[in-house]
Amino acid sequence: MENKTVLITGATSGIGRATAQKMSDAGARLILCGRRKEILEAFAATLSTPVHVLVFDVADKTAVFKAIEGLPPAFQAIDLLINNAGNAHGFDPVQTASLDDWDAMIDSNVKGLMYVTKAVLPQMVDRKSGHIINLGSIAGKEVYPKGSVYCSSKFAVDAFSQGLRIDLNPFGIRVGTIHPGMVHTEFSKVRFKGDTSRAEAVYEGVTPLVAEDVADALFYMASTPAHVNVADLVLLPTQQANATVVHRKK
Ligand code: 8X3
């Protein structure tokens, strides 16, 4: 990863932050993107490789293009884009779910990921070089109860990644997707709007993945030889068989 320039969205916490740490430890130059400026800057100050911080909401189309098109020359040639930003909001059947929750998920997980990709692409296409890794989810492979819109958003990530791989095929740009199952991050706390006991119940009796497990897998995907593309990787805790089957220890 030595001297590679890596842009990571959602780098403030969880998988994004753990991945940034891992990439920096391996010598990568980083563009850290997120919404919480102070946290990002404090984190950036702890890293030993060159870091540029971009503060924007991926759902804000204008802000995304302004930030990425305005990168200083030294950070303009992005070798690896990790589209990590995204979240679940609410856990409800369609008939009672909140439209605001739907908008939040579709705007970030789907449209935001597409905007960032489109903003980063021109220089990759010009250089006929680059690598894009999208964060899907087991929820992008199987639909589970009360998750219809979150699952829709992650199915969209899967479809977009497949399409991107086709469109970018003539340019030698790699596109891969990783689909984690249960990961112990702020994910469930956000989904349940700060209800910590509901969030913790998700992981009861299970040893879930931690952010560093996903960062390790992302690092592997990013480190294969140039002729190898890890196109689709499902990463589950051993106790999770699929989106709905989890063996919980009493
Ligand atoms: C997060 C994993 O299983 O909660 O994307 O949908 S799950």
Side-chain angles (χ1 to χ4, degrees):
M1 225 44 60
E2 202 66 43
N3 290 323
K4 289 246 181 324
T5 299
V6 182
L7 186 150
I8 304 174
T9 65
T12 319
S13 64
I15 294 169
R17 183 180 172 121
T19 305
Q21 182 72 58
K22 178 125 191 132
M23 296 286 173
S24 173
D25 291 347
R29 311 162 74 255
L30 295 175
I31 303 163
L32 299 182
C33 308
R35 287 172 299 177
R36 292 172 281 177
K37 186 167 186 268
E38 295 73 27
I39 300 179
L40 269 185
E41 284 177 347
F43 174 45
T46 68
L47 299 172
S48 52
T49 48
V51 182
H52 188 82
V53 167
L54 290 180
V55 179
F56 60 79
D57 181 344
V58 293
D60 181 343
K61 186 163 48 185
T62 311
V64 166
F65 281 86
K66 191 167 166 230
I68 292 172
E69 287 170 355
L71 276 167
F75 284 91
Q76 276 172 11
I78 297 162
D79 299 295
L80 172 62
L81 162 63
I82 300 181
N83 273 315
N84 162 71
N87 258 317
H89 298 273
F91 191 65
D92 306 282
V94 170
Q95 56 276 23
T96 55
S98 134
L99 285 179
D100 288 343
D101 283 345
W102 288 6
D103 284 343
M105 291 186 278
I106 301 292
D107 287 352
S108 299
N109 304 3
V110 184
K111 290 161 76 180
L113 181 144
M114 291 173 177
Y115 297 152
V116 173
T117 303
K118 186 112 164 87
V120 167
L121 263 184
Q123 50 81 30
M124 286 189 177
V125 169
D126 281 352
R127 294 184 299 123
K128 291 196 168 51
S129 167
H131 193 169
I132 299 169
I133 306 179
N134 295 327
L135 266 290
S137 167
I138 188 64
K141 296 286 184 189
E142 300 163 60
V143 180
Y144 52 76
K146 302 184 184 173
S148 60
V149 174
Y150 178 68
C151 294
S152 298
S153 77
K154 291 298 185 176
F155 269 69
V157 171
D158 199 22
F160 182 65
S161 305
Q162 291 184 42
L164 202 54
R165 193 156 50 243
I166 296 166
D167 292 348
L168 298 178
N169 182 253
F171 301 95
I173 298 169
R174 291 189 276 182
V175 179
T177 316
I178 183 167
H179 302 275
M182 269 184 202
V183 188
H184 199 178
T185 60
E186 290 176 354
F187 177 85
S188 291
K189 216 168 131 193
V190 174
R191 165 172 267 176
F192 297 120
K193 302 175 196 301
D195 184 336
T196 326
S197 52
R198 263 186 102 189
E200 284 308 314
V202 172
Y203 311 109
E204 232 162 61
V206 182
T207 305
L209 301 173
V210 291
E212 287 72 19
D213 295 322
V214 184
D216 284 349
L218 281 163
F219 188 79
Y220 162 69
M221 293 172 82
S223 313
T224 55
H227 70 287
V228 177
N229 181 31
V230 183
D232 207 54
L233 193 157
V234 177
L235 193 75
L236 299 174
T238 304
Q239 286 172 261
Q240 181 174 18
N242 66 13
T244 50
V245 178
V246 178
H247 180 69
R248 294 182 194 271
K249 297 217 167 99
K250 301 270 182 279

